[in-house]
């Protein structure tokens, strides 16, 4: 008889007088066993009580607080670097060469490092990130974009981008939203391990949706518009079940973000970011509604032109041999060249004098939202341009004795139009929403100044004339242009939240609606255009109502070439099919003759089973797939199917609502085809852009 000694860790015992579970002997003989057992029991009791209300609350609150801390830390760090740059520019002397070098070399070095560092960590760290987030929320998981390495690359690269200040004119909304989604995915994995449950794709998607809302909310400290903007821009359909998650996490993030400003003595209390002082008693006269609508139409036209030019230029860079090779092999060099062009143009003693280039992004908005008319203030006077930036009179940066405020605003709009397009092509982590918001504010400000000059006393209404406030038109222009470019209406609410005033709710909303009506009928949104150029998985909308889409059914565009495996198929033929195709799943039917659908079987599972089976079937014995399935090869039931008579609209809604990628088509139980994103996109494209001949345009509907 051989005796084996059990490891000490496997021996268990009971404490004296205990009726609980056995404990290991090291724990039983360790110091203070009763104290440690009491602490362990207390922690277990606390865990049960805390998670009784739902563990989601704690992880969503942690998500909001963490992203608020990161957002504030990034703002603080980049603000210090910008102050150092401004100090160096002021103190370097009167030499134009030295001042030019200090103004240009700084952003060139930062953007080169940002591009090189982020791209060396992961190639998916550049750009906004919102197109990729939109793709992931549609059901396509891009693993590289949720990697923790990508988070670090985004943080460092975005800090360098923001530290360039007004020379490059880029923001943080897009990359920070992407970072928030990555943090949500990480916390979702922590939550799964903490509560000990298996991975749940639905829960993961709920955390990603909340992360998208937190990203926008913690940038502007605007929880309501943050949630709504994330829904409009990044989701085609939204589950009401996720509504409270987004609002709760966004509120925690926005509150923490503003609370940090109070703790750092930047604010006396929690207030809006860009405070305004618009007239409250009579904010606008009724005839001004017409001009707000005209402003919306102008923003809609300009936004359509901007989206078209940006998408065309981005496509040109990818197809041109020289630029495509430069972007493929030397991204830091391209970033340096683009930064040198932008910084040279914004050099204050040069062309930048006519573009208010000494103002930061926030100072641009603060000056443009001024409710005083600059045209009337300089009507009979010519104030000098200050040698240094005057924080109390930021509007002087927009004034030039010869150009006047009309000339500088017009020049700003013309130059920034193509400069923003160029900036969006730089392969760095950068946000593009805030520059669009400022650009729209400049459009509105120009129109407001024109109206105030045309009607110095105000527009007569009911026998009373109230002075026109150009700042209100700047607010409406900011919301209308940014909303039209991104195809969102929540920018109106964002404008109210960041300014703290809602007195112009009606005219601003009307301007946003008109701008969106024009933009959505002409061009895809800025983020959809980026998805198209990058060739990300994308399911387009069926926008038109008169393109003949309603009579189109699945039978007209489904893929009839599907690979099926019959249960009575010999294993030799099964092996030939598996080795000659590369599909991820096979359609399993009852027999080759009747093609009655049974389910699906994964290719990897089938290959593993074939390799694990004994080779008796290869020695002449008659074995079929049914024997392999009975031996343990798992099959998946098909719970959702399409019919050849299902309409295109119904199919499109199913794919968007359920985040589907592929569905089988059956007729009377028989598998007759399949539909994926490829077939849907082709059908929608054919309807939207029909062939030249009438016979060809009818081909889609005549196809069976």
């Amino acid at each position: 008889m051989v005796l084996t000694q059990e490891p000490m860790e496997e021996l268990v015992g009971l404490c004296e007088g205990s009726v609980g579970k056995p404990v290991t002997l090291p724990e039983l003989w360790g110091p203070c066993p009763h104290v440690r057992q009491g602490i362990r029991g207390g922690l277990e009791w606390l865990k049960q009580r805390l998670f009784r209300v739902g563990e989601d609350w704690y992880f969503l609150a942690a998500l909001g607080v963490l992203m608020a801390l990161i957002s504030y830390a990034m703002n603080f760090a980049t603000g210090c670097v910008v102050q150092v740059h401004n100090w160096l520019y002021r103190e370097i002397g009167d030499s134009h060469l030295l001042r030019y070098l200090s103004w240009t070399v700084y952003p060139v070095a930062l953007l080169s490092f940002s591009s090189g560092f982020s791209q060396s960590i992961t190639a998916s760290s550049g750009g906004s990130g919102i197109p990729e987030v939109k793709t992931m929320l549609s059901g396509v998981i891009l693993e590289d974009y949720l990697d923790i390495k990508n988070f670090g690359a985004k943080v460092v690269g975005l800090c360098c981008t923001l530290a360039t200040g007004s020379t490059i004119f880029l923001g943080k909304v897009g990359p920070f939203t992407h970072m928030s989604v990555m943090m949500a995915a990480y916390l979702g994995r922590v939550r799964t391990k903490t509560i000990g449950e298996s991975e749940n794709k639905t829960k993961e998607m709920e955390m990603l949706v909340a992360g998208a809302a937190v990203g926008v909310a913690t940038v502007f400290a605007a929880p309501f518009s943050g949630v709504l903007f994330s829904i409009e821009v990044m989701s085609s359909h939204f589950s009401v079940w996720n509504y409270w998650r987004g609002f709760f996490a966004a509120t925690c993030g926005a509150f923490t973000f503003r609370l940090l400003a109070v703790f750092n003595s930047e604010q006396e209390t929690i207030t809006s970011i860009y405070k305004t002082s618009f007239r409250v008693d009579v904010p606008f006269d009724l005839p001004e509604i017409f001009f707000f609508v005209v402003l919306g139409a102008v923003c809609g036209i300009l936004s359509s032109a901007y989206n078209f030019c940006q998408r065309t230029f981005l496509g040109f860079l990818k197809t041109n041999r020289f630029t495509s090779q430069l972007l493929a092999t030397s991204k830091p060099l391209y970033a340096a060249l683009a930064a040198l062009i932008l910084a040279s143009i914004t050099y204050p003693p040069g062309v930048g004098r006519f573009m208010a280039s000494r103002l930061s992004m926030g100072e641009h908005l603060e000056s443009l939202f001024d409710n005083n008319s600059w045209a009337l203030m300089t009507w009979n006077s010519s104030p000098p341009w200050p040698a240094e930036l005057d924080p109390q009179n930021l509007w002087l940066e927009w004034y030039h004795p010869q150009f006047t405020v009309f000339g500088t605003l017009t020049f700003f709009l013309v130059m920034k139009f193509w400069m923003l397009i160029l900036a969006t092509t730089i392969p760095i982590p950068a946000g593009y929403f805030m520059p669009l918001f400022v650009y729209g504010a400049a459009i509105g400000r120009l129109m407001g100044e024109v109206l105030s000059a045309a009607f110095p006393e105000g527009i007569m209404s009911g026998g009373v004339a109230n002075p026109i406030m150009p700042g209100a038109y700047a607010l409406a222009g900011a919301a209308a242009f940014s909303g039209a470019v991104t195809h969102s209406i929540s920018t109106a609410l964002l404008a109210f939240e960041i300014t703290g005033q809602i007195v112009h709710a009606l005219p601003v909303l009307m301007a946003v609606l008109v701008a969106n009506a024009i933009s959505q009928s002409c061009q895809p949104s800025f983020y959809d255009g980026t998805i198209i150029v990058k060739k990300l998985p994308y399911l387009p909308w069926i926008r038109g109502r008169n393109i003949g889409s309603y009579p189109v059914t699945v039978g007209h565009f489904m893929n009839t070439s599907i690979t099926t495996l019959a249960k009575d198929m010999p294993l030799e033929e099964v092996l030939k099919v598996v080795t000659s195709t590369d599909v991820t799943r096979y359609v399993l039917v009852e027999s080759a003759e009747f093609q009655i659908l049974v389910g699906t079987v994964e290719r990897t599972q089938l290959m593993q089973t074939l390799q694990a089976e004994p080779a008796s079937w290869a020695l002449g014995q008659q074995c079929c797939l049914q024997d392999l399935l009975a031996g343990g090869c798992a099959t998946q039931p098909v719970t959702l199917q399409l019919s050849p008579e299902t309409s295109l609209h119904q199919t499109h809604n199913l794919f968007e609502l359920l985040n589907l990628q592929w569905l089988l088509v059956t007729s009377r139980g028989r598998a007759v085809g399949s539909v994926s994103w490829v077939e849907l996109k082709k059908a929608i494209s054919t309807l939207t852009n029909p062939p030249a001949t009438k016979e060809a345009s009818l081909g889609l509907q005549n196809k069976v």
Side-chain angles (χ1 to χ4, degrees), residues 524-547:
S525 72
F526 176 84
Y527 300 116
D528 288 344
T530 305
I531 289 175
I532 294 172
V533 174
K534 288 186 174 182
K535 297 181 180 180
L536 296 172
Y538 168 71
L539 188 61
W541 288 7
I542 308 176
R543 296 187 178 276
R545 290 294 182 265
N546 56 351
I547 58 176

Side-chain angles (χ1 to χ4, degrees), residues 581-662:
T581 58
D582 57 353
V583 296
T584 58
R585 68 174 71 87
Y586 296 100
V587 180
L588 184 64
V589 295
E590 188 65 35
S591 64
E593 180 181 0
F594 298 105
Q595 296 286 309
I596 301 300
L597 180 64
V598 175
T600 61
V601 57
E602 297 292 331
R603 185 177 188 274
T604 55
Q605 181 73 22
L606 190 59
M607 289 291 293
Q608 292 174 1
T609 308
L610 284 171
Q611 294 172 359
E613 278 291 302
S616 58
W617 60 270
L619 299 177
Q621 299 184 11
Q622 291 295 329
C623 297
C624 60
L625 182 58
Q626 174 66 42
D627 302 325
L628 201 65
L629 298 176
C633 183
T635 61
Q636 301 294 329
V638 180
T639 57
L640 183 61
Q641 307 164 29
L642 294 175
S643 167
E645 287 75 31
T646 306
S647 69
L648 172 62
H649 283 270
Q650 290 175 326
T651 306
H652 188 272
N653 289 337
L654 279 175
F655 271 70
E656 284 198 327
L657 283 171
L658 303 179
N659 295 332
L660 302 175
Q661 309 295 321
W662 179 82

Side-chain angles (χ1 to χ4, degrees), residues 259-554:
L259 199 62
L260 291 171
V262 176
F263 288 162
N264 200 34
S265 301
E266 297 177 10
Q267 300 284 344
E268 295 181 0
T269 184
I270 297 179
T271 59
S272 55
I273 298 180
Y274 305 107
K275 292 185 292 185
T276 56
S277 56
F278 296 146
R279 190 173 59 245
V280 178
D281 51 351
V282 185
F284 60 93
D285 291 313
L286 187 59
E288 289 187 69
I289 292 291
F290 170 76
F291 296 108
F292 279 102
V293 172
V294 173
L295 174 61
V298 172
C299 290
I301 296 172
L302 289 178
S303 65
S304 299
Y306 177 83
N307 283 338
F308 173 78
C309 294
Q310 193 272 341
R311 189 175 68 256
T312 303
F313 185 65
L314 193 60
F316 168 77
L317 293 179
K318 290 184 175 295
T319 56
N320 181 266
R321 185 176 63 179
F322 173 74
T323 55
S324 61
Q325 184 177 3
L326 184 63
L327 287 171
T329 58
S330 303
K331 288 184 174 66
L333 177 59
Y334 179 86
L337 293 175
L340 180 62
I341 294 173
L342 296 175
S344 299
I345 293 175
T346 57
Y347 179 53
V351 181
R353 168 69 178 86
F354 309 100
M355 302 169 56
S357 60
R358 293 194 299 186
L359 298 179
S360 64
M361 198 87 70
E363 290 170 339
H364 272 94
L365 285 180
E366 185 179 347
S367 61
L368 292 171
F369 289 160
D370 183 10
N371 57 344
N372 296 312
S373 173
W374 304 338
L376 297 182
M377 293 171 63
T378 58
W379 194 269
N380 296 317
S381 62
S382 180
W385 188 56
E388 302 294 339
L389 184 66
D390 185 3
Q392 304 301 322
N393 296 285
L394 296 177
W395 70 272
L396 291 175
E397 297 296 314
W398 295 96
Y399 175 73
H400 190 275
Q402 285 75 37
F403 263 56
T404 71
V405 293
F406 303 106
T408 55
L409 286 170
T410 303
F411 188 75
F412 175 87
L413 294 175
V414 172
M415 297 297 291
K416 285 296 182 182
F417 187 88
W418 67 267
M419 291 173 68
L420 287 179
I421 292 176
L422 176 61
T424 59
T425 64
I426 305 176
I428 54 173
Y432 311 126
F433 178 81
M434 195 62 173
L436 298 174
F437 200 78
V438 176
Y439 190 88
I443 298 174
R445 184 75 199 194
L446 177 59
M447 185 169 184
E449 292 292 344
V450 170
L451 290 176
S452 65
F455 304 97
E457 302 297 329
I459 301 176
M460 188 66 65
S461 176
V464 179
N466 295 293
I468 292 175
M469 290 188 296
Y473 288 86
L475 183 66
F481 184 78
S482 59
V485 171
T486 58
H487 288 188
S488 59
I489 302 176
S490 57
T491 52
L493 180 58
L494 174 64
F496 303 143
E497 282 195 277
I498 65 175
T499 58
Q501 286 192 311
I502 199 172
V503 292
H504 292 90
L506 180 60
V508 170
L509 185 58
M510 292 181 67
V512 172
L513 290 173
V514 172
N516 266 273
I518 296 175
S519 177
Q520 293 191 27
S521 63
C522 296
Q523 292 291 325
S525 72
F526 176 84
Y527 300 116
D528 288 344
T530 305
I531 289 175
I532 294 172
V533 174
K534 288 186 174 182
K535 297 181 180 180
L536 296 172
Y538 168 71
L539 188 61
W541 288 7
I542 308 176
R543 296 187 178 276
R545 290 294 182 265
N546 56 351
I547 58 176
S549 58
Y550 288 98
V552 180
T553 61
V554 168

